Amino acid sequence: ICWFLNYYLAIDPTDSYDYAQFVIDHKICHKGDDGLGFKMNLFPMNAPNHDYSWDVKRAQFTGFESRSAYEEWCLKHRGEYFRVLLKKYQPEIIIVLGKTHAHKFIQFFGCEDAENFELDKNGVSISYRKIPNTDTYLIISPFFGGDSGINSFNKMKDLTDLVHEIKGTQPHDW
């Protein structure tokens, strides 16, 4: 999230900042009204290396017999919780990563009926929609990193340019 915010807001053109200090200075994941950004996972139970198997330990820990039951609960109940926060704080944008999970993000944020739009710049492809009854855009981006994701400074710049286009603001030209 720091990498995106740095490029989107043009905070440090050298891109040589200390991430830990950046988080402190700009109140990333800050429990207050004045933070710059917030990072969360759709499903807080981690899946290292995308291992989505559901074993006895995970079933005991969560109380769910299957990953699908766990995800269904999160989409409904965590989604309800975060939609309340969304209406309270009205962020300009929500960036979600992983285009193959788009349908889950759309359900989580309650925008199944909102019109979907697509944008592309130099091979960086995103989709977005306005979350109903808010001024917030849900922007679905490829993952950061990996062979087909946002894996270079140029691609991150292209992504932030696309977000500026959605918002109707001027991208920063370093």
Side-chain angles (χ1 to χ4, degrees):
I1 185 141
C2 295
W3 190 25
F4 172 82
L5 288 171
N6 184 53
Y7 272 63
Y8 183 65
L9 299 172
I11 294 170
D12 181 354
T14 68
D15 206 35
S16 61
Y17 50 88
D18 174 90
Y19 282 98
Q21 192 61 48
F22 187 95
V23 167
I24 293 165
D25 291 347
H26 300 289
K27 299 180 181 177
I28 309 297
C29 299
H30 185 255
K31 292 183 180 178
D33 296 347
D34 60 343
L36 181 61
F38 178 76
K39 189 229 182 268
M40 63 159 280
N41 290 325
L42 193 61
F43 307 114
M45 176 71 70
N46 69 348
N49 300 317
H50 301 287
D51 175 12
Y52 295 105
S53 61
W54 204 253
D55 56 23
V56 173
K57 184 188 276 185
R58 290 180 189 212
Q60 289 173 336
F61 181 75
T62 64
F64 294 102
E65 293 299 318
S66 68
R67 179 146 193 108
S68 62
Y70 163 74
E71 288 186 2
E72 186 178 314
W73 185 93
C74 287
L75 288 171
K76 180 176 182 190
H77 298 286
R78 277 177 58 82
E80 288 172 0
Y81 173 78
F82 280 98
R83 285 191 298 276
V84 168
L85 292 178
L86 173 68
K87 287 185 176 152
K88 178 179 179 182
Y89 293 105
Q90 294 286 321
E92 291 180 18
I93 57 174
I94 295 176
I95 302 284
V96 297
L97 306 178
K99 295 185 80 175
T100 58
H101 299 289
H103 63 288
K104 294 176 183 177
F105 295 120
I106 290 165
Q107 180 182 349
F108 187 85
F109 289 106
C111 51
E112 295 93 331
D113 296 328
E115 186 175 0
N116 189 62
F117 300 94
E118 303 278 336
L119 286 176
D120 183 275
K121 182 175 183 181
N122 299 322
V124 174
S125 175
I126 63 171
S127 62
Y128 70 97
R129 55 184 65 207
K130 190 99 174 236
I131 297 176
N133 305 310
T134 72
D135 291 325
T136 304
Y137 287 96
L138 176 66
I139 300 169
I140 303 167
S141 166
F143 283 110
F144 295 172
D147 291 340
S148 61
I150 307 299
N151 57 12
S152 70
F153 298 121
N154 288 338
K155 286 184 177 182
M156 181 56 76
K157 177 72 170 96
D158 290 340
L159 172 62
T160 60
D161 287 353
L162 290 171
V163 174
H164 278 290
E165 183 177 334
I166 293 166
K167 290 293 301 161
T169 55
Q170 285 296 315
H172 304 285
D173 188 18
W174 289 351

